[in-house]
Amino acid sequence: MVFRKPPDGGWGWVIVIVSFFTQFLCYGSPLAVGVLYLEWLDAFGEGKGKTAWVGSLANGIGLLASPVCSICVSSFGARPVAIFSGFMVAGGLMMSSFAPNIYFLYVSYGIVVGLGCGLLYTATVTITCQYFDKRRGLALGLISTGSSVGLFIYAALQRELIELYGLDGCLLIVGALSLNILACGSLMRPLESSSSPPPEKTCVDVVPDQYFVYREKEKTVEENISILEKGYIDEKCVNNVPDCKQDSILNKNVLSSINVNEKDTYKKKVVEQTNFCKQLAKRKWQLYLTYWKETMVLFKNKVFSALFVAILLFDIGGFPPSLLMEDVARSANISEDDYYMPLISIIGIMTTVGKLVLGILADFKWVNTLYLYVTTLIMTGVALFAIPFAKSYLTLAMLSGILGFLTGNWSIFPYVTTKTVGIEKLTHAYGILMFFAGLGNSLGPPIVGWFYDWTQEYDTAFYFSGFCVLLGGFLLLLAALPCWNACTNQSSKLPPNTYSYKVASNA
């Protein structure tokens, strides 16, 4: 398949629009799962920690399975994966309406919907990067707001649907809405040249030449034997006609011997194929060893190691508010009459604003993106410490807006990763960090829920969350201080393609 140069427009803007709506439709319900969380608590009567696993799995399983999602998109293409994942998300939501217990929701909502969202995220990002080069940052920024807008709208939508049709009816309707992902996926036309000539070589020709050694030898032997046989028979028939019958008998013997040679050649070919498979397995093993060596090189970078700890602790402590804030308001005995807007909707809309504002700030040359990211972590930790002191809707709404804005630091996280490890190792490093981000998303809400089950109040839980985020922020700040470069001369010892953040940020 021959790909054209990214057009940076044209059908690419259709890709941006359908990718936006794809993320809107698939992430709307999982990100606004806090509204469903309250209903599941009342319906199944389980503990808050056990119930919180449903939403945490739905948001974390996609990141945990990001390597598998990347392989699927690379193997089958963005459009087939998007259509298949649309069935997964819609089917998982509809199946959840018939859940008899919380364990059924772990599979239907947590794993099926979560994995479908992970596949759709990878598909939308991949197809957008194929269509855009110079405007790639703008295109990715536009499609990433789809999930935040989905959080804003689905929080109010699911709450209204629950009041009108109950929890089961809400999940059925939301699942039916997710079927629109199929229409969006069908428009994700792969970027390939339709006017390019068909390839001259077939897929078999891609196999190394040594695979056909015995095939060529066999062909040469057969040609030589046929030529000798033809000359020998013609000469005999010209000189002595009766000898032709004898020669035909001899010819049969020769052909039988050729069949024996063919069997020997087949055995040799099998041996050659076996050796080829062994060499291929050896090469794969070498690739795995190289991957782990490069991973160890990444962790020798102090800033990357601190970044890995920071993103894990940030997702453990910073993700629970988007899931549990509605229950926090109910635990504070805030009347529903005081609600002007769901707290999760406030988080969603402010996350969109945060992504745009922080992304714009990161483009300024005088802004150190690592220190900007550290600042968002420290401010998030302080806001989490303030939640136990909020006893009214107004204060909780203000804190929700602040936390939503600071959560928009996801938009600058790729910048920070690039400046830390270099563009050559961005894919490798980002995959590792996203895996641990998914682990933090999966563990954070259950841990906070277990703290509530243990203490019967959220104060200790959010103190713990704030401590985790602050610890990650201060560790990252300590690792990024310029004094490390002055004391250890780290920049001269770094391997190729990796460099200290100070040097990279000033470049």
Side-chain angles (χ1 to χ4, degrees):
M1 184 178 295
V2 180
F3 290 97
R4 297 196 306 265
K5 183 180 179 180
D8 280 305
W11 191 260
W13 294 119
V14 178
I15 297 296
V16 169
I17 294 173
V18 298
S19 298
F20 172 88
F21 280 105
T22 296
Q23 293 202 15
F24 170 84
L25 292 168
C26 74
Y27 277 106
S29 181
L31 290 178
V33 72
V35 177
L36 304 176
Y37 172 75
L38 298 177
E39 302 299 323
W40 287 330
L41 284 174
D42 298 335
F44 300 114
E46 300 287 352
K48 295 181 186 286
K50 184 182 291 187
T51 307
W53 270 111
V54 181
S56 62
L57 283 174
N59 288 278
I61 199 70
L63 293 174
L64 288 172
S66 55
V68 178
C69 298
S70 300
I71 293 173
C72 291
V73 175
S74 300
S75 301
F76 304 105
R79 180 160 57 183
V81 170
I83 294 174
F84 175 76
S85 303
F87 281 111
M88 288 186 64
V89 174
L93 290 170
M94 293 180 181
M95 287 169 55
S96 300
S97 65
F98 303 100
N101 51 54
I102 199 70
Y103 303 103
F104 187 91
L105 286 173
Y106 289 163
V107 178
S108 62
Y109 197 98
I111 296 178
V112 177
V113 175
L115 187 57
C117 290
L119 288 168
L120 286 169
Y121 177 81
T122 306
T124 54
V125 170
T126 302
I127 193 70
T128 303
C129 290
Q130 290 177 0
Y131 271 86
F132 288 89
D133 184 16
K134 295 180 181 179
R135 299 178 180 178
R136 184 174 296 169
L138 174 62
L140 291 175
L142 290 174
I143 69 171
S144 67
T145 58
S147 58
S148 301
V149 176
L151 170 59
F152 171 70
I153 294 179
Y154 267 75
L157 176 63
Q158 291 185 144
R159 189 174 179 181
E160 188 68 22
L161 290 175
I162 289 173
E163 293 179 359
L164 294 175
Y165 305 105
L167 176 61
D168 298 342
C170 171
L171 289 171
L172 283 174
I173 295 174
V174 171
L177 287 175
S178 299
L179 289 174
N180 290 287
I181 296 174
L182 306 181
C184 295
S186 63
L187 295 175
M188 294 181 183
R189 187 173 61 196
L191 183 64
E192 57 180 287
S193 179
S194 57
S195 60
S196 60
E200 297 179 358
K201 294 184 178 182
T202 60
C203 59
V204 181
D205 296 330
V206 181
V207 183
D209 295 337
Q210 57 181 340
Y211 184 85
F212 296 102
V213 171
Y214 287 98
R215 180 179 177 182
E216 295 176 357
K217 290 182 178 180
E218 180 184 0
K219 183 178 179 181
T220 304
V221 171
E222 290 178 353
E223 290 177 353
N224 293 334
I225 291 176
S226 62
I227 293 172
L228 291 174
E229 288 176 354
K230 184 177 180 181
Y232 177 78
I233 294 172
D234 291 342
E235 182 179 0
K236 286 291 184 180
C237 289
V238 171
N239 296 330
N240 192 0
V241 176
D243 292 339
C244 290
K245 295 182 179 180
Q246 296 179 358
D247 291 336
S248 62
I249 298 174
L250 292 174
N251 188 28
K252 292 181 180 180
N253 295 331
V254 173
L255 291 175
S256 63
S257 64
I258 291 175
N259 292 331
V260 175
N261 291 332
E262 287 179 352
K263 293 181 180 179
D264 295 338
T265 305
Y266 175 76
K267 293 180 180 179
K268 292 178 181 179
K269 190 187 295 184
V270 172
V271 173
E272 182 68 18
Q273 293 178 5
T274 304
N275 291 333
F276 171 74
C277 293
K278 290 181 179 179
Q279 291 295 328
L280 183 62
K282 185 177 181 181
R283 291 179 184 177
K284 291 291 184 181
W285 178 249
Q286 291 296 331
L287 289 176
Y288 292 139
L289 290 179
T290 303
Y291 176 84
W292 288 111
K293 288 179 181 178
E294 292 179 354
T295 303
M296 296 305 298
V297 170
L298 287 175
F299 279 99
K300 290 180 180 179
N301 187 341
K302 290 185 177 64
V303 178
F304 178 81
S305 299
L307 192 63
F308 139 74
V309 176
I311 190 64
L312 176 63
L313 294 177
F314 172 73
D315 281 278
I316 289 177
F319 177 67
S322 62
L323 175 62
L324 304 174
M325 191 61 78
E326 297 293 332
D327 193 46
V328 171
R330 187 170 70 171
S331 300
N333 296 321
I334 297 177
S335 174
E336 293 185 359
D337 297 334
D338 297 334
Y339 269 67
Y340 302 100
M341 182 184 297
L343 297 176
I344 299 179
S345 295
I346 298 175
I347 293 176
I349 196 63
M350 289 305 296
T351 300
T352 304
V353 176
K355 286 179 178 180
L356 295 175
V357 173
L358 294 175
I360 293 172
L361 287 176
D363 286 334
F364 289 107
K365 295 182 179 180
W366 52 270
V367 174
N368 188 313
T369 51
L370 179 61
Y371 293 150
L372 177 63
Y373 185 75
V374 170
T375 302
T376 61
L377 294 183
I378 294 176
M379 293 178 66
T380 300
V382 174
L384 289 170
F385 272 114
I387 289 179
F389 300 97
K391 301 300 181 182
S392 66
Y393 173 82
L394 180 61
T395 53
L396 283 177
M398 293 176 59
L399 288 175
S400 298
I402 294 172
L403 288 171
F405 180 86
L406 296 173
T407 306
N409 61 7
W410 275 99
S411 64
I412 64 173
F413 190 73
Y415 284 78
V416 177
T417 308
T418 303
K419 295 293 185 180
T420 303
V421 302
I423 190 64
E424 296 86 357
K425 296 188 177 181
L426 173 62
T427 304
H428 186 182
Y430 199 72
I432 295 173
L433 294 174
M434 286 301 98
F435 175 83
F436 287 100
L439 186 62
N441 276 348
S442 301
L443 295 178
I447 291 176
V448 172
W450 288 331
F451 269 108
Y452 184 92
D453 293 337
W454 179 36
T455 61
Q456 294 302 310
E457 44 88 16
Y458 274 116
D459 295 353
T460 306
F462 282 104
Y463 290 147
F464 170 79
S465 298
F467 173 77
C468 288
V469 178
L470 282 177
L471 178 61
F474 281 118
L475 286 176
L476 185 56
L477 177 62
L478 182 64
L481 290 177
C483 61
W484 289 107
N485 296 328
C487 296
T488 62
N489 195 18
Q490 181 183 3
S491 59
S492 62
K493 295 181 180 180
L494 284 173
N497 301 331
T498 58
Y499 43 90
S500 67
Y501 187 83
K502 181 181 178 182
V503 175
S505 60
N506 293 333

